[in-house]
Amino acid sequence: MPRVAYLTHADCAKHDVGPWHPESPERVQAVDAALRAAPWFGELLAIEAPYATPEQLARAHTQAHVDAVRAAVPEQGVTWLDPDTGLTPHSWHAACAAAGAAVRAVDTVMAGAAQRAFCNVRPPGHHAEADRAMGFCLFNNAAVGIHHALAVHGLARVALVDFDVHHGNGSEDIFRGETRVLLLSSFRHPFYPHSGVQPHAGYVPVPLPAGADGRRFRETVERDVLPGLDAFRPELICVSAGFDAHRDDPLGGLNLLEDDYAWITRTLCALADRHAQGRLVSVLEGGYDLGALGRSAAAHVEAMR
């Protein structure tokens, strides 16, 4: 059995709002190239992501939001939903493929076809709230996958660990009050979207100051994340894998390195082995220096093996 599944879709590179935008098609291409260059790439179970259905999207989002995104897709050019978040003629299919990858990844690990899965997809998702697109995100890919795990596979405890440099406000919004989901989000603070520092039931914020390095990140995770995650005993661990906390990232302002991403991945895989039969699904979020993104994603996937 392949230990790690790799999911992507060609449509994820077709969502392109302009050459100036940091959330570019080259991101998934850089990750794909870095993975294919690894000597272990042939061991991965390669899967073409399907499109998420409107029903699957509407488990995480309001039907009005799903309908509004679809209706706003232009026949040509770019339609802006906010100053950062645009739609092109290809964006609907790209967004459905990104969310569909998370759904298929959940099905893959639940069926035992692989123990872990990594979704190399865009647009990213963790800023998309139940009824609002924002921060480059149209639909919350990880949340769509988790709701699928709850509704279709009947899981009672799913953990979502978000280590993007930005707070996953969309995930916090979608899962607020959902007792079956524990969200743990590390992020630079203060920073966009200027939210997320207040803990509440089912949510553990892990704010980091500007300039924090890997040592600070690891110490904070060991103190504030791992005990609660272990006590929760998740049946599935999902990851919003943002690599924009890397030292080389132009948007981030933190100082993590590839080894730090490998460390958090190994740590989460060990937790998955203890509580979730090894089941872990990771979905790409941020990361805007192409070299650092590719290297970090490769370190992340290698640590899943």
Side-chain angles (χ1 to χ4, degrees):
M1 180 185 72
R3 192 164 176 83
V4 182
Y6 173 53
L7 296 95
T8 190
H9 194 288
D11 283 352
C12 291
K14 296 179 181 178
H15 166 71
D16 186 355
V17 298
W20 56 272
H21 201 288
E23 207 292 286
S24 68
E26 288 76 21
R27 297 181 62 244
V28 287
Q29 294 165 350
V31 170
D32 188 73
L35 296 183
R36 290 181 183 277
W40 40 259
F41 179 78
E43 301 172 16
L44 305 183
L45 174 63
I47 300 174
E48 182 179 64
Y51 296 134
T53 66
E55 177 187 11
Q56 290 166 344
L57 296 173
R59 292 192 184 112
H61 296 281
T62 64
Q63 188 64 54
H65 173 67
V66 176
D67 294 343
V69 171
R70 189 165 197 171
V73 173
E75 293 186 6
Q76 59 183 1
V78 181
T79 295
W80 292 98
L81 303 180
D82 70 15
D84 298 319
T85 312
L87 288 168
T88 75
H90 299 289
S91 296
W92 174 259
H93 284 145
C96 287
V103 170
R104 177 61 59 84
V106 168
D107 286 341
T108 299
V109 301
M110 292 304 300
Q115 274 198 307
R116 340 268 198 213
F118 175 65
C119 303
N120 178 24
V121 294
R122 58 178 291 278
H126 74 151
H127 292 309
E129 299 180 347
D131 60 357
R132 180 168 65 144
M134 64 176 287
F136 311 162
C137 304
L138 301 176
F139 300 123
N140 194 311
N141 307 317
V144 172
I146 290 172
H147 269 290
H148 179 75
L150 299 174
V152 174
H153 295 284
L155 297 187
R157 296 181 306 280
V158 179
L160 175 55
V161 179
D162 183 333
F163 53 68
D164 193 275
V165 79
H166 304 97
H167 166 234
N169 61 290
S171 301
E172 184 186 2
D173 175 68
I174 289 169
F175 291 119
R176 186 180 294 272
E178 174 51 79
T179 59
R180 295 172 293 177
V181 177
L182 175 65
L183 169 62
L184 308 104
S185 179
S186 68
F187 53 94
R188 176 183 161 188
H189 177 75
F191 204 43
Y192 179 90
H194 307 287
S195 60
V197 295
Q198 296 300 321
H200 53 80
Y203 172 60
V204 179
V206 187
L208 297 166
D213 61 6
R215 180 178 177 179
R216 176 72 175 268
F217 172 71
R218 297 185 194 205
E219 290 173 347
T220 305
V221 167
E222 287 177 338
R223 183 187 67 233
D224 298 339
V225 173
L226 299 184
L229 187 55
D230 226 0
F232 184 64
R233 296 179 295 110
E235 299 167 302
L236 171 69
I237 296 177
C238 291
V239 179
S240 279
F243 300 108
D244 42 5
H246 193 282
R247 180 179 62 189
D248 295 342
D249 196 274
L251 303 186
L254 295 183
N255 288 301
L256 271 58
L257 296 172
E258 294 90 329
D259 284 350
D260 299 310
Y261 292 118
W263 172 81
I264 186 64
T265 306
R266 288 192 301 268
T267 301
L268 295 176
C269 286
L271 270 159
D273 289 343
R274 282 200 296 278
H275 300 299
Q277 301 177 42
R279 298 183 297 227
L280 182 144
V281 169
S282 175
V283 183
L284 181 65
E285 298 287 358
Y288 305 101
D289 178 272
L290 298 180
L293 172 61
R295 296 190 306 272
S296 298
H300 177 57
V301 175
E302 183 174 18
M304 293 184 193
R305 296 170 61 245

